[in-house]
Amino acid sequence: MIRDTSAQDRTMTRPVAPARRYWKYAAIGGAVLLLGAWLLPGMVRMLGSGASFSAERLRFAEVRRGNLTRDISAQGRVVAAVSPTLYAPNGGIVTLTVQAGDKVEKNQVLAEVVSPELANRLQQEQATLQSTELAAERTNIDNRKQQLSTQKAVDQAEIDRQTAAREVERTQKAFQLGALPQLDVMRAKDSLQKAEITLAHAKKDSALERESLDFELKTARLARDRQRLLVADLQRQVDELKLRSPVAGQVGQLLVQQKANVAANSGILTVVDLSAMEVEVPVPETFARELAMGMPAEIQNAGQTLTGELSAVSPEVVNGQVIARVRFTGEQPGGLRQNQRLSTRILIDEHPNVLMVERGPFVDSGAGRVAYVVGKDGMAERRQIQVGATSLNAVELVSGVKEGDRLIISSLDEFKGAERVALAR
């Protein structure tokens, strides 16, 4: 019988730990203390701020001093400053003599409209013109004949007056010699007076007849001139059926098919003047009020900066934009094509030596009155600011900041108006 296990027990002694184990525990404790010391300031900032955000999600910019240029940058489209459209002056069948893209010279015939009705009218009026010209010539001949007839009557009356005057002279001498009685002298004087009256009336009749004939001739000539003007106008209309290019350039677009029957005033084709090109720029309507004729502009073409000026602004807003046109002020570059895209910059004005910062969403989200300034301790403090002039890439800061301050230019909506914001790395 086994009473207990005392005979099997053995006394165990605890081994002594080496000294290096104590150093290991000491190092771990020190690391924990250092980590706490490093995290403690951040925890203090977080507890003292209204919120904490990751700095990697935010955009920052430094306040600097410089010249703020207000400008508008957009992709412009090259258009022809002169791009006339040729219209059919009368209805008819169109015969095109060019194709789209062909180069043309000024006054070159590009198309012709055949109008049988207009050609027939011209021939009729030309025949009428010949008739009126013959009528005017016939009236002129009749006028001359009638004038000769009236002149003949005047000459005959003049001869009769001279005969009566000689008869008075003869009878007067005979009466003085006692050969004739005084009664014959009185008869001769009466005949002379009658001849003189006849001559006077003949002259008046001749003058009135001349005036009447001149009036008839003038009427005939006016009818002839009127018919000439009518024929000239019809001839002009027939000549205009040949559509000529008003400028030297290139055929842009054919608006009708070959041998198409078109109505009067229908568009036939367009011509592009390649020697005068402009850049059409879409501008946001917020800048429309600030645009003015003659504003300088810069145009980028194949790495080259060209100068220009604002030449026109559309009075109509379409899809939140107005269309502005920029004219080249220097020599126009060669090789430009219709609808080619060019980067264009319109310079509105310049503010020299001002405090400014890169433009960002903070301007709109803070209504231009609030900004967050980043301090050296990693905290962002809310400040009241005043915004001045703005451009597409910068904004002027009138008050609330100083040169060298770092601002958060991201949207401020996430901060929810917190006075201080901790920025975590």
Side-chain angles (χ1 to χ4, degrees):
M1 180 178 177
I2 301 175
R3 298 178 178 178
D4 53 24
T5 61
S6 59
Q8 298 177 1
D9 294 339
R10 187 178 57 180
T11 305
M12 301 295 292
T13 59
R14 184 177 183 181
V16 179
R20 58 184 181 181
R21 292 188 177 181
Y22 293 104
W23 287 105
K24 181 179 179 180
Y25 296 147
I28 293 174
V32 171
L33 292 175
L34 291 176
L35 181 61
W38 182 69
L39 294 176
L40 183 60
M43 296 177 64
V44 171
R45 291 197 307 270
M46 185 178 300
L47 293 175
S49 64
S52 176
F53 294 90
S54 174
E56 295 180 354
R57 297 170 50 193
L58 303 176
R59 290 175 54 200
F60 302 89
E62 183 177 345
V63 178
R64 57 187 176 86
R65 186 173 292 276
N67 296 333
L68 175 65
T69 301
R70 300 184 62 214
D71 56 3
I72 303 171
S73 296
Q75 282 291 328
R77 182 172 63 93
V78 176
V79 296
V82 179
S83 181
T85 300
L86 303 186
Y87 295 89
N90 207 303
I93 299 175
V94 178
T95 301
L96 300 173
T97 59
V98 293
Q99 298 294 330
D102 290 351
K103 290 187 177 181
V104 295
E105 300 295 333
K106 187 175 182 180
N107 294 325
Q108 178 180 339
V109 177
L110 308 182
E112 183 176 358
V113 180
V114 179
S115 177
E117 179 184 358
L118 188 60
N120 187 30
R121 283 184 55 197
L122 175 61
Q123 293 177 359
Q124 291 179 2
E125 297 300 336
Q126 285 176 340
T128 304
L129 174 61
Q130 293 178 357
S131 177
T132 54
E133 287 179 343
L134 292 176
E137 291 295 330
R138 182 172 57 252
T139 302
N140 186 26
I141 293 174
D142 293 342
N143 189 355
R144 291 166 58 188
K145 289 174 61 177
Q146 192 66 26
Q147 285 183 1
L148 288 175
S149 178
T150 55
Q151 185 63 38
K152 179 180 178 181
V154 172
D155 294 341
Q156 184 65 42
E158 180 66 26
I159 292 173
D160 293 342
R161 189 197 67 80
Q162 291 179 359
T163 302
R166 291 193 185 98
E167 183 66 21
V168 169
E169 183 179 358
R170 185 183 66 80
T171 56
Q172 185 72 33
K173 289 182 179 180
F175 172 73
Q176 292 177 356
L177 295 175
L180 291 176
Q182 187 177 5
L183 181 61
D184 292 341
V185 175
M186 295 177 63
R187 288 176 179 174
K189 289 183 178 180
D190 291 340
S191 297
L192 175 61
Q193 187 176 5
K194 181 180 178 181
E196 288 179 347
I197 294 175
T198 302
L199 176 61
H201 283 288
K203 288 182 178 179
K204 290 181 179 180
D205 291 342
S206 176
L208 290 175
E209 187 69 20
R210 185 179 296 108
E211 291 181 3
S212 176
L213 294 174
D214 289 343
F215 179 77
E216 292 180 0
L217 179 60
K218 184 177 180 180
T219 302
R221 287 176 175 176
L222 287 176
R224 178 200 61 187
D225 294 341
R226 178 183 178 278
Q227 191 63 28
R228 283 179 178 177
L229 293 175
L230 182 59
V231 171
D233 183 66
L234 287 174
Q235 185 65 53
R236 175 189 61 79
Q237 295 182 38
V238 171
D239 293 340
E240 288 179 351
L241 293 178
K242 294 182 178 181
L243 305 181
R244 301 178 182 274
S245 175
V247 296
Q250 185 178 16
V251 177
Q253 183 180 5
L254 300 180
L255 305 178
V256 296
Q257 299 294 328
Q258 183 72 276
K259 298 300 181 180
N261 190 0
V262 298
N265 301 321
S266 298
I268 304 299
L269 53 84
T270 61
V271 183
V272 179
D273 185 2
L274 300 178
S275 63
M277 307 295 285
E278 293 181 348
V279 181
E280 196 174 76
V281 184
V283 178
E285 62 176 321
T286 55
F287 294 96
R289 295 181 180 179
E290 304 183 37
L291 296 179
M293 301 301 102
M295 281 185 173
E298 295 179 354
I299 306 166
Q300 299 294 330
N301 178 40
Q304 183 182 8
T305 301
L306 307 172
T307 59
E309 66 178 11
L310 195 64
S311 61
V313 179
S314 172
E316 183 181 7
V317 178
V318 180
N319 296 328
Q321 294 178 333
V322 295
I323 302 301
R325 282 204 174 191
V326 175
R327 178 191 302 122
F328 293 95
T329 54
E331 183 178 356
Q332 178 177 308
L336 292 180
R337 297 183 178 273
Q338 186 89 342
N339 294 324
Q340 180 180 347
R341 295 287 179 177
L342 294 178
S343 296
T344 307
R345 179 169 170 248
I346 302 176
L347 307 178
I348 299 178
D349 57 12
E350 185 174 1
H351 298 261
N353 193 26
V354 297
L355 287 177
M356 59 183 182
V357 71
E358 181 183 350
R359 184 169 181 174
F362 83 100
V363 178
D364 297 327
S365 59
R369 296 191 295 268
V370 177
Y372 281 82
V373 182
V374 179
K376 296 181 179 179
D377 57 354
M379 297 292 293
E381 180 183 355
R382 187 174 186 269
R383 288 191 189 175
Q384 296 292 328
I385 64 170
Q386 182 180 353
V387 174
T390 60
S391 67
L392 291 179
N393 54 9
V395 58
E396 179 187 4
L397 301 175
V398 179
S399 63
V401 295
K402 63 181 182 301
E403 186 176 359
D405 286 347
R406 288 185 71 227
L407 303 184
I408 298 176
I409 61 174
S410 304
S411 176
L412 308 181
D413 293 337
E414 298 181 1
F415 299 161
K416 298 181 180 180
E419 293 296 328
R420 292 170 60 85
V421 175
L423 303 177
R425 297 188 180 278

